[in-house]
Amino acid sequence: MKKAQKTEAESLHYNMNRRIEILKRNIFKPQKLINHLGNKLINPILGERMVFQPSYIDVEPVSKCNLACVFCPVSGWKRAQLENLSFEDFKKILKQLPFLIEIKLQGMGEPFLNSDIFKMIEYGNKKGILMNTYTNGTILNKEKIAKLFCSPLFLLSFSLDTPDKKTYQKIRGRDMFDVVIGNIKLAVEEKRLSKSNTIIQIWCVANKDNLKDIPELVKLSKEMGVDRLVIQTKLNSWNLGSIKKRFKDIEENIFEEKNMAVLNGASKLAESIGLNFCINTENYFSKDKPCNIPKMSAYIAVEGKITPCCVNPDPQVMSMGNIYKENFMSIWNSKKYRQLRRSIKNDNLPYFCKECYKAKNGR
């Protein structure tokens, strides 16, 4: 395997920290640890009906965003009219899922547009759950960042695709580059002052506009003092024609020789300057390597609807049920979920799963 094809699973430092933190927070909660092990080891080998609950979920705090990124469908979609997830509804979700180990508080919108997010993080921390969020970094400020580290996240991820201000505006739709850079620096400093173990990372979505800039982004990440830089290598349009058209001009095949050369160079640079650098290719599935996400995790949208995964988070594409109206375990082993698992096992993929099964050289 070429170096630039390193997956997130091989990011040893991050995963070791994660395992230690899970054990530390749940050592006196044997039921949670048993469910976690069952979810990781038993559920994937089962057929259609799951025995263990997910130990990791995505929860969407807000369905709207203040940016208009070229690779994101949120700008202009009807779901932006939905109300934010309330703290009370967040507690209802956790009540139905008592064995959770980890939550990613992020969906298709910008999480910090929901002012209740700080309460959600604190509540999850008190329950021993690893709380993560991914943000575009534009809503934060010094006061909010200080508040964020009063009940720290396990992972705070900033979306930043380029070290170049003009390219940033082209990709993200607004001139917010300096704001984001300033907030990343503030977060790194607050982490130092509070002596927090929060992992601060930058998440970059590789595309035709920014791929050549990734080595410089490695340098910038190191200068700012973040813990790691992750490169997302694939865009997903859920096989919907309207989104496919938008991706046509920006999607890049990272496995082409010229692109691999750039990423290999960035990887070597990161190694030489001591930056944890990860090129995420773990969601490239095949018949021999099927997707197990619908057996292990779930995505809960702001209105309570459950979708099979965070790659296809729009309940208008597929909704398995509503956690505010139904018991989670009834949904988890419902006819819809069992049919989806059967379809994946038989390689009879629904249309919204097919993009994750594209051959690496067949984009």
Side-chain angles (χ1 to χ4, degrees):
M1 178 180 284
K2 293 183 180 179
K3 191 171 188 178
Q5 293 183 31
K6 182 171 61 175
T7 68
E8 187 167 359
E10 292 171 283
S11 187
L12 299 177
H13 178 71
Y14 170 78
N15 279 285
M16 184 57 69
N17 283 353
R18 183 172 170 271
R19 292 186 189 105
I20 290 169
E21 193 63 30
I22 287 171
L23 191 60
K24 210 163 69 175
R25 293 192 187 197
N26 297 284
I27 189 70
F28 299 114
K29 299 172 183 176
Q31 286 181 304
K32 286 184 76 171
L33 290 175
I34 290 167
N35 183 79
H36 180 57
L37 289 172
N39 177 252
K40 296 276 285 184
L41 303 174
I42 306 300
N43 277 7
I45 63 175
L46 296 176
E48 300 171 19
R49 190 177 290 275
M50 298 299 103
V51 174
F52 297 94
Q53 287 190 0
S55 55
Y56 172 99
I57 60 169
D58 291 81
V59 177
E60 180 183 51
V62 59
S63 59
K64 56 184 72 69
C65 190
N66 60 323
L67 298 183
C69 305
V70 293
F71 43 71
C72 182
V74 169
S75 180
W77 74 346
K78 291 181 180 179
R79 293 191 69 248
Q81 299 168 13
L82 295 171
E83 292 185 10
N84 293 346
L85 177 72
S86 71
F87 179 51
E88 291 306 313
D89 281 340
F90 178 72
K91 289 195 289 185
K92 287 176 186 175
I93 291 169
L94 267 59
K95 189 174 182 180
Q96 288 213 43
L97 292 158
F99 306 124
L100 285 173
I101 293 284
E102 191 168 358
I103 295 175
K104 184 172 77 175
L105 269 176
Q106 187 251 345
M108 296 298 290
E110 165 50 42
F112 288 97
L113 287 172
N114 186 335
S115 59
D116 279 348
I117 191 170
F118 300 98
K119 293 181 187 176
M120 296 175 195
I121 293 166
E122 183 180 13
Y123 187 77
N125 276 333
K126 286 178 179 176
K127 290 188 170 293
I129 300 169
L130 272 63
M131 302 300 293
N132 307 328
T133 197
Y134 287 58
T135 174
N136 62 34
T138 62
I139 305 294
L140 293 171
N141 54 36
K142 189 172 183 178
E143 182 184 355
K144 288 178 181 177
I145 289 169
K147 187 177 181 181
L148 194 57
F149 279 86
C150 290
S151 183
L153 293 154
F154 172 70
L155 172 69
L156 173 60
S157 185
F158 287 91
S159 296
L160 182 66
D161 308 300
T162 174
D164 182 76
K165 191 171 182 176
K166 288 183 178 178
T167 307
Y168 176 93
Q169 185 170 356
K170 182 179 180 182
I171 292 172
R172 293 280 167 176
R174 287 185 67 192
D175 181 10
M176 300 292 286
F177 180 80
D178 291 337
V179 173
V180 176
I181 295 297
N183 283 331
I184 293 172
K185 290 178 179 178
L186 283 171
V188 170
E189 177 63 7
E190 190 61 38
K191 172 183 174 176
R192 185 187 69 80
L193 292 172
S194 63
K195 298 180 180 178
S196 166
N197 292 323
T198 298
I199 295 168
I200 299 177
Q201 74 175 18
I202 288 174
W203 187 277
C204 165
V205 181
N207 58 76
K208 286 183 178 178
D209 290 325
N210 72 345
L211 201 138
K212 67 183 187 305
D213 298 334
I214 289 176
E216 289 300 316
L217 187 59
V218 168
K219 293 179 186 177
L220 179 61
S221 300
K222 181 64 177 179
E223 288 169 12
M224 290 191 293
V226 301
D227 297 297
R228 69 175 190 155
L229 168 62
V230 181
I231 309 298
Q232 178 181 323
T233 61
K234 179 159 64 68
L235 301 174
N236 197 307
S237 68
W238 315 324
N239 262 326
L240 296 177
S242 58
I243 303 174
K244 273 186 174 181
K245 287 178 183 177
R246 194 188 302 185
F247 287 174
K248 190 176 180 181
D249 295 330
I250 62 168
E251 191 172 20
E252 189 68 287
N253 181 0
I254 65 139
F255 299 103
E256 288 181 3
E257 188 174 349
K258 62 181 177 66
N259 296 331
M260 291 293 289
V262 172
L263 292 174
N264 276 322
S267 187
K268 288 176 183 176
L269 174 61
E271 187 175 3
S272 71
I273 63 177
L275 177 71
N276 192 327
F277 181 68
C278 176
I279 299 164
N280 189 353
T281 59
E282 67 173 357
N283 61 344
Y284 289 82
F285 300 112
S286 66
K287 186 176 181 179
D288 297 326
K289 183 203 167 187
C291 171
N292 280 320
I293 294 173
K295 294 182 176 183
M296 301 173 69
S297 182
Y299 178 99
I300 303 177
V302 68
E303 65 268 54
K305 292 180 180 178
I306 294 174
T307 77
C309 74
C310 66
V311 180
N312 293 305
D314 186 351
Q316 295 179 79
V317 175
M318 187 172 197
S319 172
M320 313 307 285
N322 192 314
I323 197 168
Y324 302 148
K325 299 176 181 178
E326 305 165 66
N327 176 271
F328 177 80
M329 285 307 289
S330 298
I331 298 171
W332 189 231
N333 283 315
S334 65
K335 185 178 179 180
K336 263 190 177 182
Y337 249 124
R338 286 183 281 117
Q339 175 60 49
L340 176 62
R341 292 168 186 142
R342 188 186 317 129
S343 297
I344 292 172
K345 180 182 177 182
N346 295 336
D347 202 36
N348 182 25
L349 303 170
Y351 72 92
F352 51 82
C353 290
K354 288 182 179 178
E355 286 195 355
C356 286
Y357 278 73
K358 281 185 176 178
K360 291 177 182 178
N361 59 358
R363 285 173 144 196

